[in-house]
Structure formats: structure tokens, C-alpha cells
Amino acid sequence: MSTIPEQFSNAAKASFDNQFASFSALTNTALEGFQKLAALNMATAKASLEGSSVTARQLLSASNPQEFFSLSTAQAQPAAEKALAYGRQVSSIAAETAAEFSKAAKAQITENSRKVISLVNEASKHAPAGSENAVALFKSALGNADAGYEQLTRSAKQASDTIEANVNAAVNQFNSAVKNSPLATAAK
């Protein structure tokens, strides 16, 4: 049987190894999120450049101001829809990445907590008489830390949902404003 210091040393090493693996996984998750965002931005830039070229040719071919404004107005609605789609895709990438971070962090904390409680239980078997209150206090502190993490996770999820809802509302307002603009009304 190993001694308590050896158990603590082994637990610390295992915890470090676990944290390093989690850090690597989180780094990969972040890089994947950045790659998705970069790919989206490249595709959006390419589509925007192509669309701008087509729009410019159409506007330059307008034979009178009425046709020019009609063509301009006709482009506002698709532009708003593209902005809405882009915002939703960015929000989706951010939400996926945040969910992966949260999942990895929760797994890390759960595993570390389990190991620490196991170690404390083992150490408490060899603890001197009268230390039961200290062990109970330590276990209670671990339980409170877990509960605090759960609350933090819920709060982060609520904040993420609120931000996503606000982005969607702002884009929908922009879309509605474009539909109801004087130029859109004049084009009808």
C-alpha cells in the first residue's frame, strides 16, 4: 500500500496529465472553430465580390434614375437576407465551439472532483481521530465548488442564448427596415 504523500503525488501527476490533455482538446476545438469561421468569411467575401460585380453592372446599365433606384432597392432585400444568414452561421459556429468548451470543462472538473474525493476518502481512513469535521468540511467545499461551476455553466449558456437572440432580432429589424424603406416602397 502506498503512503498518503505518494497518493497525493500520483493524484497531482494524474491531474496534470488530465489537464494537459484537456488543454490540447480545447486548443483543437478553438482551432476548428477558427477554421470554420475563416472558411465562412472567405466564402462570404467571395460571394460578396461576385454579387457586387453583378450589381455594379446592372446599376451601370440603368437607362434612367427610376430604373437605377428600382435596381438599388431590389438589391437591398437579398443583401439583408445574406447578412441574416451570415449572422446565424457565425452564431452557430460560436455556439458549437462554446458547447464543446463547456463539455470538455465539465468533464475535466467532474473527473478531478471524483479523484480528489476518492483521495480524501482514502486519506480520511488513516486520519487521526477528531479530524472527521475537517474531512466533512473539505467534501462540502468540493460540493459547493461543483455547484458553483454548474451555476456558472447555466449563466454562460443563458448569456450565449441572449446574445444569439439579440443578433437575430437586430438582423430581423434591419430586414424589416429594408422592406419598409422609402426606396422599397417606391420600387413597388
Side-chain angles (χ1 to χ4, degrees), residues 11-12 25 34 36 72 92 113 122 139 154 169 175 179 181 188:
F34 286 130
K36 288 177 185 177
S72 295
S92 174
S113 180
E122 185 63 31
K139 286 180 181 178
R154 282 192 297 274
N175 198 11
K179 284 181 184 177
S181 73
K188 293 179 184 178

Side-chain angles (χ1 to χ4, degrees), residues 20-82:
F20 185 75
S22 293
F23 178 75
S24 294
L26 290 175
T27 300
N28 287 335
T29 298
L31 288 175
E32 287 172 9
F34 286 130
Q35 286 174 333
K36 288 177 185 177
L37 190 57
L40 174 64
N41 286 337
M42 289 297 291
T44 301
K46 182 178 178 183
S48 178
L49 184 59
E50 291 169 357
S52 294
S53 178
V54 169
T55 300
R57 281 194 294 274
Q58 288 176 343
L59 291 174
L60 290 173
S61 70
S63 58
N64 60 48
Q66 177 78 16
E67 184 181 359
F68 179 85
F69 286 118
S70 177
L71 289 169
S72 295
T73 302
Q75 296 303 318
Q77 181 66 29
E81 290 170 0
K82 288 175 186 175

Side-chain angles (χ1 to χ4, degrees), residues 73 75-78 80 173-185:
T73 302
Q75 296 303 318
Q77 181 66 29
Q173 274 186 321
F174 174 73
N175 198 11
S176 178
V178 168
K179 284 181 184 177
N180 298 326
S181 73
L183 289 177
T185 307

Side-chain angles (χ1 to χ4, degrees), residues 5-23:
E6 288 173 343
Q7 289 176 349
F8 276 105
S9 177
N10 291 338
K13 182 186 179 312
S15 177
F16 177 77
D17 290 344
N18 193 16
Q19 288 176 358
F20 185 75
S22 293
F23 178 75

